[in-house]
Amino acid sequence: MAETGIVAVAGEALVDLVPAPVGGYLEIAPGGSPANVAVGLARLGVPVRMLARLADDPLGRRMRAHLADNGVSLDHTVAATEQTSMALVTVDDDGVPSYDFRVDATADWQWTDAELAGALDGPVVAVHSGSLALTTAPGDGPLRALLERAMATATVSYDPNCRPLLMGDPAGVLEGVHALLAVADVVKVSSEDLEWLGLTPEAALEDWVTRGPAVVAITLGGDGVLAGTATGLRTRRPGVPVTVVDTVGAGDTFSAALLAGLHGRDLLGAARRAELRALDAAVLDALLDLAARAAAITCSRRGADPPTAAELA
């Protein structure tokens, strides 16, 4: 049953250097889009397995402690010999972050097929991945193969979470996105990602729901979310009014809460694929509203700090 099934999250678990409350200083904060999703799921009471390569250096140990302290299972992480990846984060006057990365030959990107051989062992009902881990060689190939393998038993969740500084040519990235859409059941993407890829939200929605996913949700910042299903549902939900501190981790929180909502409704797992594809309008809107509310809470506080189930209730 999906109520007790595990959601596995695969990808980068890096550290962010973020502006500190004291002007002119930076502080270390755990980050990485997949790691943020894993923490968001755990805080919402969903059993989570992190599939990450964690270095045995001071930053990697800090990342490991952060995940463990939030209840994320680390039984399937890899003890990496490479260094921890870093991202230097700057935040503009609207709270929107930009990223400058230090990732050459670091731990997150060195996956092998052998390291992922047991990733789906046990009651895994969903696998989520996205962002740099699926576009950075050499580990992107093994991770993409994992998602393809997961289709047989699990719901596949995907967030492109584009990082223009590192991902290269948008046209080439879009080809890779299209390949993953054929594997994914649930897709979350931001309007900023789509703009970089050369797409409008409306055009992307109409195209992407024909490529394989059951549900595609497009976050529009303060303007809410546009979403649709492969069976023809279309909806637009309003944004949640909030005083924005910054938007770091907001999209990851949205993904986590959307998956948590599906988990609570027993809609995860390959055996539930038909039910997922048959979502009705009321359930879809309720799932999107839950995810938008969770993301708004994250925006109301500094950094990637997703809400607990109690806070969301």
Side-chain angles (χ1 to χ4, degrees), residues 96-250:
V96 178
S98 57
Y99 299 86
D100 185 8
F101 294 93
R102 302 292 183 271
V103 296
D104 286 349
T106 51
D108 291 292
W109 331 114
Q110 314 306 322
W111 286 106
T112 66
D113 291 323
E115 289 174 338
L116 292 164
L120 303 177
D121 291 350
V124 173
V125 293
V127 179
H128 172 84
S129 192
S131 199
L132 289 167
L134 292 177
T135 60
T136 306
D140 56 335
L143 283 176
R144 286 171 178 256
L146 172 70
L147 296 186
E148 292 177 10
R149 195 164 79 246
M151 292 176 67
T153 55
T155 299
V156 176
S157 169
Y158 170 52
D159 175 7
N161 198 23
C162 299
R163 295 288 181 250
L165 274 178
L166 293 183
M167 287 187 175
D169 173 47
V173 173
L174 185 58
E175 286 185 21
V177 170
H178 286 165
L180 286 164
L181 292 176
V183 174
D185 299 291
V186 178
V187 175
K188 173 264 164 189
V189 64
S190 73
S191 55
E192 289 180 340
D193 293 339
L194 293 176
E195 182 178 5
W196 183 69
L197 292 170
L199 301 170
T200 66
E202 294 77 12
L205 178 62
E206 296 308 319
D207 179 40
W208 287 16
V209 293
T210 69
R211 292 180 179 269
V215 180
V216 175
I218 300 171
T219 56
L220 307 171
D223 293 329
V225 57
L226 176 70
T229 68
T231 58
L233 289 179
R234 300 291 183 269
T235 189
R236 181 160 182 162
R237 305 302 294 168
V240 178
V242 67
T243 299
V244 175
V245 174
D246 64 52
T247 63
V248 177

Side-chain angles (χ1 to χ4, degrees), residues 11-15 52-64 77-86 102-112 115 136-139:
E12 63 262 31
L14 49 80
V15 296
R53 304 182 85 259
L54 299 176
D56 186 21
D57 60 17
L59 299 179
R61 291 192 289 272
R62 184 163 182 164
M63 192 74 223
R64 183 179 292 275
T77 57
V78 172
T81 57
E82 304 84 7
Q83 291 183 321
T84 300
S85 311
M86 288 195 296
R102 302 292 183 271
V103 296
D104 286 349
T106 51
D108 291 292
W109 331 114
Q110 314 306 322
W111 286 106
T112 66
E115 289 174 338
T136 306

